[in-house]
Amino acid sequence: MYTLPKIERFNQDVLSKYHIYNSVFITLPFDSIDNTGVLLPLFTEVCETGFKKQETPKEIVNFFSGKYLNDASETDKIDLMFRFIQYIERQIVLFDAIEDAAFPTVNNMEGRGSLRDIKEKTDAKEKDDELIEFLENFNVRTVLTAHPTQFYPGPVLGIINDLTAAIRSNDLLKIKKLLAQLGKTPFIQNEKPNPYDEAVSLIWYLENVFYETSGEIVHYLQKNIFHGKSIQNPLIKLGFWPGGDRDGNPFVTTDITLKVAERLRTSILKCYYVEMRNLKRKLTFAGVDTLVSDLEYKLYRSVFYSKGEIYITLDEFKTQLNRIKDIIVDKHQSLYLDELEALLIKINLFGFYFATLDIRQNSKIHDAVFKDVVMYYLKSDPSVFPANYYDLSENEKIAMLSKVKGNLNANVFENEITKSTIESIQAIKAIQENNGEYGANRYIISNNESALNVMETFALIRLNNWDNPTVDIIPLFESVDDLQKAHEIMEQLYTNPEYVKHLTERGNKQTIMLGFSDGTKDGGYLMANWSIYRAKEALTEVSRKYGIKAIFFDGRGGPPARGGGKTHKFYASLGPKIENNEIQITVQGQTISSNFGTLDSCRYNLENLLSAGVTNQVFSKGENELTVDEKNILDQLAELGYQEYLSFKNHPKFIPYLEKMSTLKYYSKTNIGSRPSKRSKSENLDFADLRAIPFVGSWSQLKQNVPGFFGVGSALRHFEETNQWEKVQDLYDNSLFFKTLLENSMMSLAKSFLPLTAYMRKDPEFGEFWQIIYDEFSETKRLLLKIAGHKELMENYPDGKASIQIRERIVLPLLTIQQYALLRINELNKQDQVDDDLIKVYEKIVTRSLFGNTNASRNSA
């Protein structure tokens, strides 16, 4: 029997099931008024028809009210809008669960990008030795962040999990019960979570998904590529930011950092304990049973009775398991050896730390902290810093900083930020003592603008009585300007003898983080992506020149505007002039649940990242190198897009439009994350302080997705108008990097819906500004279809396109309600007698409607 095409599998296993289960769901009474589920499909239809007729959200809501609600009062309309929101939120959960359940059916788990595919290609091309050498040195590091783009509280995530299992087994009775439970379970958290709460939520994914999947992937490679020989290289590494990311988050304290590290250790020990318990039922032979029981008992005490105390060391655990392994092989015909090997692999991957807790702080904070530290030493110990330190040049300061040592006491400082920054370094030391070095051995400097920023951090660490720190200092380059001079900054560091000595002790490796999100916010889509590519080439060249292996850590968000989309294709497309021995990416918000939320999706996406590295380094080595001419074209495209975006960003209505016409200010009112929505506390909106998530998310709520396409159309049009179209066409046809870049932009366009805000065209203040967005959208769509040779967006990803279409249809009523509420707020604010209470009600509608749209898009912020 032939396998159905992907789109047919999607229609059969996702779309049809959604229609069936949704028809059950909308008939369930969740409140005293049980006609909400009947009215919602009618409202959806009215919205679709209304936007086709170019009606405004206000006209659509009023028409629906007049036709179906007998000209209800404003209070009645508001009440129904809230009930619609509640239904739509739950419809999205249902669709998520159905897609998750169908994931292994819709996606070919053994197809392109899978481990099986890697194995078969290796055999066919006779590249076994090359692949083994590559896998002995390559790593994929997924770093889970607490960036607030996931709106599902814990109980709802639990229901999604159970619902997915019930749908997969077609258990109709259980599905109906879970849908009823879903209808009565609150979606809204009354209080903001603290960073520890966020950590606990994300540790669920480590325990229930990454632990099992990572172990299985390495076990498969060990058996099928390495022919049973143990892989010493931890191919898959996990990183963790909740509790360690202090950048702009005043709620991350030293106590929370230590508490999160302890929870990570307890969680991995619990996983080991459960596995040992299962092994105890199997390894019942003489000479083995007592050893297994001893390990199980020590793990049990460490998890349930420890109060921070560990009753077994990592070395003891490994030694004992290897002893058991030898006995099984020698005396018991290798019975259950496979299961024991699986546990040993996981111990090699996760140690006693599970995931590395990264510490991150902003360079601007470091500047202030360092001033405090210098002033302290000038008063207490003038031998550490010269009195004229602040009169020195940057190079003189760097030379000075490379030599300083000391033993700081955080308690001598009154400034809380100075105190907590020093404590964070001491916390790294404490975590390494308890969890091992990999428990916390990375310090990230966000907004890094100079070599001095790095050396200040280096000095701060050594001033904490740490002469040879087992910490990697990672500069994060975010703005376009910083990306363009990043290689010069790193060369300054590579020529500093003391920093080079530090790198030698760290294996001659330098991790460098590059921020897609803030790069796009700063320079637009084309310039951000091309600047990062160029920066990686220049950083690779300068690092190789000094014998340093550059490791790139990409700060990617969910949507294309923040470096998301078809991520694995970007890594497969990197040429030989970009170091690619490790793939390190941040994973956040809905991207965690959508890409890594189930065993199947986690396996699929981790294998794709591994495959991207293999494709780039083994199968297509040197094939993806861009020519000089191609780079010149990309330089021109990026510059043209950048100038168009700058002109747009500098428009006098840019900030007012976001403030008055979008949902930007409502992000801070959602209790989804512990971080404030902007870095500074000032009342006025400063573009530089604005975080990328609410920035990108606000455009997504407007269904305009500006950061994912603005400037692309204008750049391409230049080549069309100057009779050079064949140049960009050839680039698209021959460069996987450029093709992926434009395909991801197409996804941004596919998730846009300009008729939703078309009423703004007539707005006296913002009409012209809205038209600029519309024109660039139309031009980008026209030219992307032309270059791809398509009639519709995402034509070559029919299942992805179908998923977007059904999700967008589910949230269309929600978006209409949101725009209606924003319009009413603006109207009410202009009245002579301002009704503050009514405004608050509509503001609550706007805030509530943020949730469903973000969750539905799965990668919208």
Side-chain angles (χ1 to χ4, degrees):
M1 183 178 172
Y2 290 108
T3 304
L4 292 171
K6 202 170 183 181
I7 183 62
E8 288 188 37
R9 299 199 299 272
F10 177 86
N11 289 337
Q12 184 175 291
D13 289 275
V14 178
L15 202 55
S16 60
K17 282 188 178 181
Y18 173 73
H19 289 315
I20 292 165
Y21 296 138
N22 187 48
S23 65
V24 174
F25 174 71
I26 61 173
T27 60
L28 294 172
F30 299 126
D31 47 43
S32 55
I33 303 166
D34 59 5
N35 67 342
T36 311
V38 177
L39 290 171
L40 183 54
L42 297 172
F43 183 53
T44 303
E45 205 173 296
V46 168
C47 291
E48 287 180 326
T49 307
F51 285 121
K52 280 176 186 170
K53 293 179 182 175
Q54 299 185 329
E55 292 175 353
T56 71
K58 187 178 176 183
E59 287 168 342
I60 289 167
V61 171
N62 288 340
F63 173 80
F64 175 80
S65 175
K67 186 170 182 180
Y68 295 106
L69 303 180
N70 300 319
D71 288 319
S73 67
E74 187 156 23
T75 305
D76 291 335
K77 280 199 280 188
I78 286 169
D79 184 47
L80 184 61
M81 281 190 272
F82 272 118
R83 294 208 307 276
F84 278 165
I85 290 168
Q86 289 171 331
Y87 261 75
I88 294 163
E89 284 172 340
R90 287 154 178 81
Q91 284 180 313
I92 293 157
V93 168
L94 174 60
F95 191 77
D96 281 350
I98 291 168
E99 267 206 324
D100 287 345
F103 191 92
T105 308
V106 173
N107 296 281
N108 185 355
M109 300 294 287
E110 306 298 335
R112 184 182 296 174
S114 68
L115 293 185
R116 181 174 167 180
D117 180 49
I118 292 171
K119 171 83 173 90
E120 289 174 355
K121 277 183 183 168
T122 304
D123 291 344
K125 297 188 178 188
E126 297 182 348
K127 293 203 170 192
D128 296 55
D129 292 341
E130 274 185 69
L131 180 63
I132 287 170
E133 185 187 351
F134 170 76
L135 292 173
E136 282 173 339
N137 297 287
F138 181 75
N139 299 115
V140 167
R141 184 189 292 255
T142 51
V143 181
L144 306 190
T145 80
H147 292 351
T149 61
Q150 174 56 268
F151 289 79
Y152 293 141
V156 175
L157 285 170
I159 294 170
I160 294 175
N161 206 41
D162 294 342
L163 194 54
T164 301
I167 289 165
R168 199 167 278 175
S169 58
N170 284 317
D171 188 337
L172 290 170
L173 187 62
K174 193 171 183 184
I175 290 167
K176 191 170 181 181
K177 277 187 178 178
L178 286 164
L179 289 175
Q181 181 189 348
L182 186 66
K184 293 179 177 293
T185 301
F187 267 50
I188 309 304
Q189 300 179 121
N190 292 324
E191 294 179 5
K192 274 182 179 287
N194 65 44
Y196 183 71
D197 297 329
E198 292 171 328
V200 170
S201 295
L202 291 192
I203 287 170
W204 184 92
Y205 291 101
L206 297 182
E207 291 178 346
N208 293 282
V209 184
F210 282 94
Y211 177 77
E212 201 62 46
T213 308
S214 304
E216 284 179 0
I217 287 173
V218 177
H219 200 188
Y220 176 93
L221 291 170
Q222 194 165 291
K223 285 168 71 176
N224 295 284
I225 307 290
F226 285 74
H227 309 295
K229 183 188 164 195
S230 293
I231 305 175
Q232 296 308 308
N233 172 40
L235 263 164
I236 297 168
K237 298 177 179 179
L238 302 179
F240 207 73
W241 276 17
D245 181 9
R246 293 162 180 264
D247 179 16
N249 193 341
F251 308 111
V252 176
T253 64
T254 307
D255 285 344
I256 280 180
T257 301
L258 294 170
K259 202 174 160 189
V260 169
E262 188 176 335
R263 178 64 181 252
L264 284 164
R265 188 185 68 225
T266 306
S267 294
I268 191 59
L269 289 173
K270 186 169 77 176
C271 291
Y272 295 154
Y273 165 69
V274 169
E275 207 150 341
M276 280 309 303
R277 227 174 118 192
N278 292 332
L279 277 170
K280 189 180 176 184
R281 294 172 67 91
K282 296 172 181 175
L283 302 178
T284 52
F285 347 119
V288 171
D289 54 348
T290 53
L291 296 175
V292 171
S293 292
D294 180 55
L295 284 179
E296 186 221 21
Y297 174 69
K298 285 177 178 174
L299 286 169
Y300 180 82
R301 290 198 71 187
S302 299
V303 173
F304 298 106
Y305 286 104
S306 72
K307 292 184 181 174
E309 193 176 347
I310 301 298
Y311 293 87
I312 185 170
T313 65
L314 181 60
D315 284 341
E316 185 188 346
F317 191 22
K318 283 183 180 177
T319 303
Q320 190 94 311
L321 282 174
N322 279 307
R323 192 175 157 204
I324 292 167
K325 178 182 168 182
D326 291 341
I327 296 169
I328 288 172
V329 172
D330 293 343
K331 298 182 179 178
H332 301 290
Q333 295 78 48
S334 298
L335 195 56
Y336 296 122
L337 179 63
D338 226 28
E339 287 87 337
L340 190 65
E341 286 278 16
L343 177 56
L344 279 163
I345 284 167
K346 287 167 190 159
I347 293 165
N348 186 45
L349 289 178
F350 308 124
F352 274 14
Y353 63 94
F354 214 159
T356 300
L357 186 62
D358 289 347
I359 306 298
R360 183 172 81 131
Q361 185 54 281
N362 197 296
S363 67
K364 299 284 190 284
I365 298 292
H366 283 170
D367 288 343
V369 168
F370 214 74
K371 278 177 184 159
D372 269 3
V373 170
V374 172
M375 288 306 295
Y376 164 75
Y377 275 115
L378 289 178
K379 290 175 185 174
S380 64
D381 186 356
S383 67
V384 179
F385 287 96
N388 68 336
Y389 175 76
Y390 283 106
D391 297 326
L392 300 176
S393 67
E394 182 178 327
N395 287 335
E396 287 170 333
K397 282 179 183 172
I398 288 171
M400 170 75 220
L401 291 171
S402 64
K403 295 171 188 168
V404 298
K405 293 178 183 177
N407 190 3
L408 281 172
N409 178 356
N411 293 319
V412 302
F413 294 94
E414 290 180 15
N415 187 303
E416 275 304 313
I417 291 180
T418 302
K419 190 176 173 182
S420 68
T421 303
I422 292 166
E423 284 178 347
S424 71
I425 294 164
Q426 293 164 356
I428 295 174
K429 268 184 167 179
I431 293 165
Q432 289 193 5
E433 284 170 19
N434 294 324
N435 295 14
E437 186 200 311
Y438 295 111
N441 67 345
R442 291 154 46 105
Y443 196 114
I444 299 159
I445 311 160
S446 52
N447 197 32
N448 195 96
E449 297 176 332
S450 66
L452 185 61
N453 290 155
V454 176
M455 291 307 294
E456 282 180 346
T457 308
F458 182 56
L460 265 180
I461 293 170
R462 299 218 299 186
L463 284 166
N464 274 271
N465 195 25
W466 208 351
D467 287 352
N468 300 306
T470 47
V471 180
D472 295 322
I473 299 165
I474 304 174
L476 165 52
F477 300 103
E478 299 176 86
S479 72
V480 170
D481 285 347
D482 292 340
L483 286 164
Q484 288 174 349
K485 65 181 182 183
H487 64 289
E488 295 169 5
I489 291 169
M490 295 315 299
E491 185 157 27
Q492 275 183 278
L493 295 168
Y494 294 156
T495 52
N496 180 283
E498 204 61 33
Y499 191 75
V500 169
K501 183 184 166 192
H502 168 68
L503 287 181
T504 304
E505 288 164 356
R506 302 301 295 157
N508 278 328
K509 292 180 179 179
Q510 172 67 58
T511 304
I512 302 163
M513 191 171 179
L514 305 161
F516 280 80
S517 305
D518 285 286
T520 307
K521 180 169 81 78
D522 180 49
Y525 183 72
L526 285 174
M527 180 58 88
N529 280 276
W530 184 233
S531 293
I532 286 170
Y533 190 98
R534 279 292 210 187
K536 283 185 176 181
E537 278 198 329
L539 287 163
T540 298
E541 184 182 356
V542 76
S543 298
R544 287 174 180 172
K545 176 181 169 183
Y546 291 97
I548 307 295
K549 181 151 279 187
I551 296 165
F552 296 116
F553 176 20
D554 290 327
R556 293 178 178 271
R562 297 186 52 233
K566 305 286 181 188
T567 308
H568 59 281
K569 281 194 170 185
F570 273 120
Y571 291 109
S573 73
L574 299 178
K577 292 184 178 176
I578 292 178
E579 209 71 77
N580 197 26
N581 261 48
E582 291 196 24
I583 291 176
Q584 297 192 11
I585 53 168
T586 54
V587 190
Q588 53 199 252
Q590 329 92 305
T591 316
I592 296 173
S593 54
S594 62
N595 287 6
F596 301 94
T598 66
L599 292 169
D600 291 316
S601 62
C602 185
R603 178 193 145 194
Y604 181 84
N605 285 294
L606 282 178
E607 287 188 13
N608 264 277
L609 287 172
L610 272 170
S611 175
V614 174
T615 300
N616 180 258
Q617 297 283 320
V618 181
F619 299 144
S620 306
K621 204 166 187 176
E623 288 180 18
N624 290 311
E625 186 171 0
L626 292 164
T627 65
V628 173
D629 287 344
E630 287 173 336
K631 286 180 181 177
N632 286 338
I633 294 163
L634 278 159
D635 280 338
Q636 289 178 63
L637 285 165
E639 185 59 33
L640 288 162
Y642 182 51
Q643 291 305 324
E644 192 68 24
Y645 178 75
L646 274 189
S647 155
F648 176 65
K649 193 174 77 169
N650 293 331
H651 193 287
K653 294 300 176 187
F654 186 91
I655 294 293
Y657 181 80
L658 283 174
E659 282 187 304
K660 294 181 186 178
M661 307 301 277
S662 84
T663 58
L664 182 66
K665 65 183 179 184
Y666 297 95
Y667 270 85
S668 60
K669 298 178 182 182
T670 58
N671 291 328
I672 54 161
S674 65
R675 299 199 317 168
S677 60
K678 58 192 181 86
R679 286 184 169 93
S680 76
K681 294 178 182 176
S682 65
E683 288 297 315
N684 296 327
L685 180 61
D686 184 341
F687 185 80
D689 287 329
L690 183 60
R691 288 194 178 279
I693 288 167
F695 175 73
V696 174
S698 296
W699 291 112
S700 170
Q701 296 285 331
L702 285 165
K703 283 293 152 193
Q704 293 174 347
N705 289 328
V706 160
F709 72 81
F710 203 91
V712 175
S714 295
L716 290 172
R717 186 179 64 237
H718 170 80
F719 281 81
E720 184 184 55
E721 289 175 347
T722 54
N723 297 315
Q724 299 180 79
W725 182 257
E726 75 283 352
K727 290 182 179 178
V728 287
Q729 187 67 61
D730 287 347
L731 185 63
Y732 179 85
D733 293 337
N734 297 311
S735 165
L736 181 60
F737 169 78
F738 186 56
K739 187 174 186 179
T740 304
L741 194 64
L742 296 194
E743 282 185 347
N744 278 347
S745 192
M746 285 187 214
M747 187 193 293
S748 291
L749 294 177
K751 291 187 176 185
S752 300
F753 184 63
L754 275 294
L756 177 73
T757 54
Y759 70 89
M760 294 181 190
R761 180 185 272 134
K762 296 176 183 174
D763 188 274
E765 185 178 358
F766 296 109
E768 179 205 335
F769 188 78
W770 185 90
Q771 192 65 44
I772 292 169
I773 297 167
Y774 179 81
D775 291 344
E776 185 64 19
F777 170 87
S778 302
E779 196 66 342
T780 304
K781 182 179 177 181
R782 177 180 75 82
L783 291 166
L784 287 182
L785 289 175
K786 178 179 177 178
I787 204 167
H790 293 168
K791 291 179 180 172
E792 293 180 330
L793 294 167
M794 294 183 69
E795 200 174 286
N796 52 335
Y797 296 105
D799 58 308
K801 179 184 164 191
S803 177
I804 289 170
Q805 284 175 338
I806 189 69
R807 286 176 179 278
E808 295 301 321
R809 188 171 193 273
I810 292 169
V811 295
L812 185 61
L814 191 68
L815 295 163
T816 309
I817 288 168
Q818 185 185 82
Q819 285 298 318
Y820 175 81
L822 286 167
L823 280 162
R824 287 292 290 131
I825 290 165
N826 285 338
E827 283 177 355
L828 290 165
N829 276 321
K830 289 173 185 172
Q831 289 180 357
D832 294 334
Q833 292 284 321
V834 177
D835 188 337
D836 289 330
D837 291 336
L838 191 56
I839 288 173
K840 281 177 185 172
V841 171
Y842 278 113
E843 284 181 336
K844 191 176 177 185
I845 287 176
V846 175
T847 306
R848 280 298 308 277
S849 59
L850 282 170
F851 291 58
N853 182 36
T854 303
N855 287 330
S857 297
R858 281 207 152 178
N859 67 353
S860 63

